[in-house]
Amino acid sequence: METGFRKWIITVTVIISAIIELIDTTIVNVSINTMSGNLAASLEDTAWVITSYAIANVIVIPMTSFLAEKIGRKQYYIGSIILFTVTSAMCGLSSNLWELVAFRFLQGLGGGALLSTSQAILFETFPPKDRAMASGIFALGVIIGPSIGPVMGGYIVDNASWPWIFFVNVPIGILATILCVRYLRPSKPSRDGKPIDWAGIGLLALGVGALQVVLERGETDDWFAANYIIVLTVLSALSLTFFVWWQLRAPFPVVNLRVLRSVTLSVSALMTFVLGFGLFSAIYVFPLLAQRILGYTAFQTGLMIMPGVLMGAAISPFLGKLMQKGVRPQWLVMLGFGFTALFTWQISHSNLESGSTQFWWPLVYRALGAALLIVPLTALAVSELQPKDIPQGAALNNMMRQMGGSFGIALINTYVAHRVAYNRTSLVAHLSSYDLPTQTRLRQATDHFAATATSLYEAGRQALAALEGTVVRQTYLISYMDAFRLLAILNGACIFLVLVTVRRKKKAAGAGGPSGPVGTAATAGSPAASAAPRVELEAH
């Protein structure tokens, strides 16, 4: 626990570190086309720049508690920042695609450690009674990072060159390293002689890595039509099954799954998975709508998103204060799902004339929903854990958010692809050479193009191409609207999920403590008990 200037300089440092890690999960997305051309690679191959980072992230996040204990938290954290910074520079200096993919994987290994370790350091920096406030501050990074990435990426690609999306990390990483060396308390590596769980590490890397490849590449390669997707799916299922079995019987597991005995952590992790699903899939689909259909640039799309993001970030610390004052987190969670459902439902009524004015309030609702979900779920996840288990609980919770995002984007991608095929068939069914409105539209378009075309035949071809372009835009617009409606239904259903799975335990009549079956509640007055507002979760 820290006080005064040291407390706040550590807080700023770890939040900045978390933000740059999350920025790099999305900043590359808007630069793929430019990278593909400059590196003389196909778009399909260039997508591995995104995939490799995601794979490394999701492998290392659950192991951060183990690695911090073995190496020493300060040393591990500083080493991760240095690895992230150096490999960011090497990504920008890469001369070919596969060199870039390799450095992105190493960058992901360094970046994955920053998220959970930043959260653990932040919780240890604040006294137990203020950890709900710490959750609100940590939410700043989780909200701002993924949203600001496309803005920065779009601006840099439009005004500089793609290597600068990596070079911008270098001065920030250097500053964070200096501040951590100066202000973080020394931590000694573990000398208990416990053997390293190499089997667990191998099974985790194999299982989670294979699953991430399936989720990232499945839609591109038509899922199980590709043999390697089938092989990786089976490999992932077997590896993760053996991993869970091994971790529960190993005396010194690399990932302590026993912390999931806490019902609070288990249900919070489930809700965090749903949060990741909705948060990442919505922020993935909206830019596609704005850029592909409505004609906005990546930078303009980012500017539309930013006011809501800043508003959501601004209220996050106050949500932590509300929880400290006794506001029940489950009400905040339900309100968060409600705002997110309202955002997706309103966006689902867009049309080709929609613009930033129509999107302003829905995007504010999205950011408010994200803040109302992230802050209480971050606090609840570790609220019943002993201090020694907080890093592991935070790591598992962060992994669930990342995995939820991967599942969300993969499933929404597949859903949109299927809706595109269905909606195109439905639209084309109404177009016929015998249909009077179609004849009128083609004749008007032909007359328009006849003024510049070399022949009437060429004007007719241009008219047909224009009609095809209209069909394509309408097809994708309707399909994206279908996706937003699906997300609205899912978020609305989550409100009822919270009501069913989360309830406050009734107090025993005349007794000072809670009654009923919970299992792992922390004792009153303990650091874990006061880490967040006292809330019990009970699975039905």
Side-chain angles (χ1 to χ4, degrees):
M1 186 175 68
E2 306 289 350
T3 58
F5 176 76
R6 178 186 287 269
K7 170 183 172 180
W8 290 109
I9 200 69
I10 290 175
T11 299
V12 170
T13 302
V14 298
I15 292 301
I16 289 174
S17 299
I19 286 175
I20 62 172
E21 196 280 326
L22 288 166
I23 283 175
D24 269 69
T25 62
T26 56
I27 195 172
V28 174
N29 297 15
V30 297
S31 313
I32 287 296
N33 284 331
T34 306
M35 288 182 183
S36 175
N38 290 351
L39 297 172
S42 68
L43 278 174
E44 182 177 306
D45 287 342
T46 309
W48 280 100
V49 175
I50 299 172
T51 304
S52 60
Y53 186 87
I55 292 171
N57 249 213
V58 82
I59 288 173
V60 79
I61 284 175
M63 293 195 295
T64 52
S65 175
F66 165 80
L67 293 172
E69 181 184 350
K70 280 292 181 185
I71 301 171
R73 178 165 299 153
K74 179 177 180 177
Q75 297 91 311
Y76 177 56
Y77 191 62
I78 293 173
S80 297
I81 296 175
I82 293 173
L83 176 63
F84 182 84
T85 304
V86 171
T87 51
S88 292
M90 298 308 296
C91 284
L93 296 171
S94 298
S95 57
N96 64 72
L97 175 63
W98 301 112
E99 184 180 338
L100 175 58
V101 169
F103 284 123
R104 273 286 281 179
F105 182 83
L106 294 175
Q107 186 193 35
L109 292 179
L114 299 183
L115 198 59
S116 297
T117 313
S118 292
Q119 185 179 352
I121 290 172
L122 194 61
F123 280 179
E124 291 183 357
T125 300
F126 282 74
K129 66 182 179 63
D130 291 335
R131 283 183 184 148
M133 177 68 173
S135 298
I137 296 173
F138 181 73
L140 291 173
V142 179
I143 294 171
I144 292 175
S147 301
I148 204 175
V151 186
M152 289 181 60
Y155 182 81
I156 291 170
V157 169
D158 289 345
N159 295 278
S161 56
W162 68 262
W164 281 97
I165 66 176
F166 300 111
F167 290 150
V168 293
N169 293 327
V170 175
I172 301 173
I174 292 173
L175 176 62
T177 302
I178 293 171
L179 292 175
C180 287
V181 170
R182 174 67 180 83
Y183 292 104
L184 280 185
R185 299 287 184 188
S187 54
K188 295 181 180 180
S190 173
R191 301 296 184 189
D192 53 17
K194 295 177 182 177
I196 296 176
D197 182 15
W198 292 110
I201 293 173
L203 288 169
L204 176 65
L206 193 60
V208 174
L211 177 60
Q212 192 68 29
V213 173
V214 170
L215 294 174
E216 294 275 346
R217 307 294 297 172
E219 173 57 31
T220 302
D221 294 327
D222 197 20
W223 293 104
F224 298 111
N227 290 332
Y228 86 94
I229 293 291
I230 297 174
V231 171
L232 289 179
T233 301
V234 173
L235 184 63
S236 174
L238 292 175
S239 298
L240 290 177
T241 300
F242 279 114
F243 171 74
V244 172
W245 172 78
W246 177 254
Q247 294 306 284
L248 293 177
R249 71 184 297 272
F252 308 111
V254 66
V255 179
N256 182 17
L257 297 180
R258 296 176 181 87
V259 296
L260 291 173
R261 290 173 180 167
S262 165
V263 181
T264 305
L265 174 59
S266 299
V267 178
S268 296
L270 174 62
M271 295 294 176
T272 300
F273 180 89
V274 176
L275 161 66
F277 188 107
L279 181 68
F280 284 98
S281 55
I283 203 63
Y284 171 79
V285 176
F286 179 77
L288 294 179
L289 168 67
Q291 294 171 46
R292 291 186 179 181
I293 307 303
L294 303 180
Y296 287 87
T297 66
F299 184 60
Q300 290 170 333
T301 303
L303 290 180
M304 277 198 296
I305 295 172
M306 282 310 296
V309 170
L310 295 176
M311 194 175 298
I315 71 165
S316 295
F318 296 102
L319 294 176
K321 282 286 188 183
L322 285 175
M323 292 169 61
Q324 286 179 207
K325 292 179 179 179
V327 175
R328 293 178 64 188
Q330 55 262 55
W331 300 123
L332 297 181
V333 171
M334 285 189 284
L335 190 59
F337 280 125
F339 270 119
T340 307
L342 182 59
F343 152 66
T344 49
W345 183 254
Q346 289 195 350
I347 293 292
S348 72
H349 291 84
S350 303
N351 56 51
L352 294 177
E353 303 301 319
S354 297
S356 56
T357 304
Q358 290 78 21
F359 293 141
W360 199 90
W361 277 110
L363 289 171
V364 168
Y365 297 150
R366 183 200 75 86
L368 293 177
L372 285 161
L373 289 168
I374 292 169
V375 175
L377 288 176
T378 301
L380 282 173
V382 297
S383 63
E384 287 189 353
L385 300 181
Q386 297 297 325
K388 65 181 179 63
D389 293 327
I390 286 177
Q392 184 65 78
L396 289 172
N397 200 51
N398 283 316
M399 186 189 75
M400 291 300 287
R401 183 173 54 249
Q402 297 294 101
M403 293 303 298
S406 297
F407 271 94
I409 291 173
L411 294 178
I412 285 296
N413 247 337
T414 302
Y415 180 75
V416 168
H418 288 162
R419 296 305 297 173
V420 164
Y422 174 82
N423 289 327
R424 179 178 174 83
T425 302
S426 299
L427 289 176
V428 171
H430 295 284
L431 299 177
S432 166
S433 57
Y434 302 104
D435 180 56
L436 183 58
T438 304
Q439 292 174 355
T440 303
R441 188 180 184 92
L442 282 174
R443 184 169 58 253
Q444 291 173 344
T446 302
D447 292 342
H448 171 76
F449 289 118
T452 56
T454 56
S455 66
L456 189 61
Y457 171 75
E458 184 65 27
R461 290 188 60 185
Q462 291 178 358
L464 286 171
L467 181 61
E468 167 66 13
T470 300
V471 170
V472 169
R473 287 187 73 201
Q474 289 286 355
T475 297
Y476 275 94
L477 174 68
I478 296 170
S479 300
Y480 289 141
M481 296 306 98
D482 290 341
F484 279 113
R485 272 189 286 272
L486 175 64
L487 289 172
I489 293 169
L490 291 175
N491 280 285
C494 286
I495 297 174
F496 297 98
L497 178 65
V498 176
L499 287 171
V500 170
T501 59
V502 183
R503 69 179 177 87
R504 188 177 184 177
K505 285 178 29 178
K506 296 179 180 179
K507 300 285 185 178
S515 64
V518 168
T520 59
T523 57
S526 71
S530 54
R534 188 79 174 116
V535 177
E536 285 78 21
L537 309 178
E538 184 171 310
H540 288 254

